[in-house]
Amino acid sequence: MKVSQFKDYSDLPLFLNAEMVAKVLGVSPSSGYGLMHEPGFPVLKIGSRMVVPKEKFIQWVEQNTTGGGN
C-alpha cells in the first residue's frame, strides 16, 4: 500500500502536477493521471500541461472526503 509522504498541506507547492497529486494521495502515478482527467477535478490547463492549484486541490479533498465505513 502506498502512503503519502506529506504530513501537512503547507508542504505542497502552489501548483501540483499529476505525479505530485499521486504522491500526496498515496496512489500510483497512473491513478494521479487518471484523476486529473475526471470531470469535476480542479485542473488548470496551460497549453498541453495540466496542473492543480494547491488551494483548489485542498477544497476538492475536503469536498470528496466521507466518513469511514459506517
Side-chain angles (χ1 to χ4, degrees):
M1 178 170 88
K2 291 186 175 271
V3 177
S4 175
Q5 64 187 31
F6 298 93
K7 302 296 179 204
D8 193 286
Y9 287 129
S10 65
D11 294 339
L12 300 178
L14 289 177
F15 294 92
L16 292 74
N17 61 18
E19 183 180 347
M20 181 67 70
V21 167
K23 285 181 181 179
V24 171
L25 295 175
V27 299
S28 70
S30 62
S31 293
Y33 284 102
L35 184 58
M36 291 188 70
H37 289 91
E38 288 289 321
F41 194 75
V43 173
L44 173 63
K45 290 185 179 183
I46 304 170
S48 62
R49 184 178 164 133
M50 295 171 56
V51 294
V52 181
K54 172 182 173 176
E55 296 303 322
K56 296 292 184 181
F57 176 74
I58 294 168
Q59 288 175 357
W60 179 87
V61 169
E62 290 172 351
Q63 291 171 352
N64 288 278
T65 301
T66 59
N70 285 346

